[in-house]
Amino acid sequence: MDIRHLQYFVEVAKHQSFSKASEKLYVSQPTVSKMVKNLEDEIGMALLLRSTKRKLELTDAGHVVYRQGQAIIQSFHNIASELDAIKNMKTGTIRMGIPPMTGSRFFSKIISGFHQKYPGISIKIIEDGSKSLEKQLLQGNLDLAVLALPVAPDAFDYIEIVNDDLQLLVHPAHPFSACNAVKLSDLQNESFILFREGFHLHEVIPAECRKAGFDPAVVCESSQWDFISEMVAENLGIALLPETICRLLDPTRVKTILLIEPSIPWHLAISWQKDNYLSYASKEFVTYTCESLQVDPRNKKRAGGAIE
């Protein structure tokens, strides 16, 4: 079976039109018709119901060949992509999504070190919230993204790289500043400073507050953790930030306190689309990131196994 026969048939089935398929394939319509007829003759079954009064329809056999043909064509493209990656091992581009909160803390040194090791591989950084990056990764606009867990297991493969909890951030003059730990329910009368929509914590923190019996009063939203901490330092309100970020803050200007009952986890994973081809450059970046953060790259989550 010629791969071109499948390609031509799949395009006809996709567009339900010989003419539209010919435009997409940049060949004449008679050529497309001939290729599809040859495929039907080889299979020995009709794949299309042809009618002048309506669009083309697939027969039962046509549905099978269309579904399987798409997978075969994708595999064929993957072969070409992987061979090209082997041929050009030290070149490539990685489209990487990173939340602003993690960029300076975790990835500035990683990206610098990776570039020194692979100077021919360029990295295009997209900074946005975890939820926004998740959508872009699903749409194929990114190769890799750092996402807050949990993520959809049927959509992504990932390796967890950060395991952290949120801490309470208050002004030094706040009554809670003398406490070693504060319950989430104790914050029901406080003014919250949150990350804006599109960020994982924009959804998680209000959801946890509602579980604790109250809706948080939000006075300000931002996309930058340093701006959020500055607003706390100006006594505008309180905030919940990851412990890793809290360690970077000036303790004379803000006070960080353990949050309990419940603690709110902040787990991050370097993620990619499940079952999609992952370029050599992207695989190397995942491996390099795991080595830099001392994470076992074999801990790929989904069905288990190493990055191959």
Side-chain angles (χ1 to χ4, degrees), residues 10-74:
V10 165
E11 286 299 325
V12 171
K14 184 187 300 182
H15 298 287
Q16 296 182 299
S17 167
F18 282 95
S19 60
K20 290 181 179 178
S22 67
E23 292 175 5
K24 182 72 174 179
L25 295 165
Y26 300 103
V27 296
S28 67
Q29 184 172 331
T31 299
V32 177
S33 299
K34 182 180 179 180
M35 286 288 191
V36 173
K37 184 63 169 60
N38 289 344
L39 182 61
E40 289 179 318
D41 291 342
E42 183 177 350
I43 294 174
M45 301 176 71
L47 302 178
L48 296 168
L49 295 174
R50 297 165 174 82
S51 173
T52 58
K53 296 182 180 180
R54 57 184 178 180
K55 291 183 178 180
L56 295 171
E57 293 182 1
L58 296 176
T59 64
D60 290 343
H63 281 289
V64 172
V65 175
Y66 178 56
R67 184 178 66 253
Q68 297 294 339
Q70 287 178 303
I72 292 170
I73 292 169
Q74 183 60 52

Side-chain angles (χ1 to χ4, degrees), residues 3 68-83 275 277:
I3 188 69
Q68 297 294 339
Q70 287 178 303
I72 292 170
I73 292 169
Q74 183 60 52
S75 296
F76 184 81
H77 289 160
N78 286 349
I79 290 172
S81 296
E82 292 194 31
L83 290 175
D275 296 330
Y277 170 71

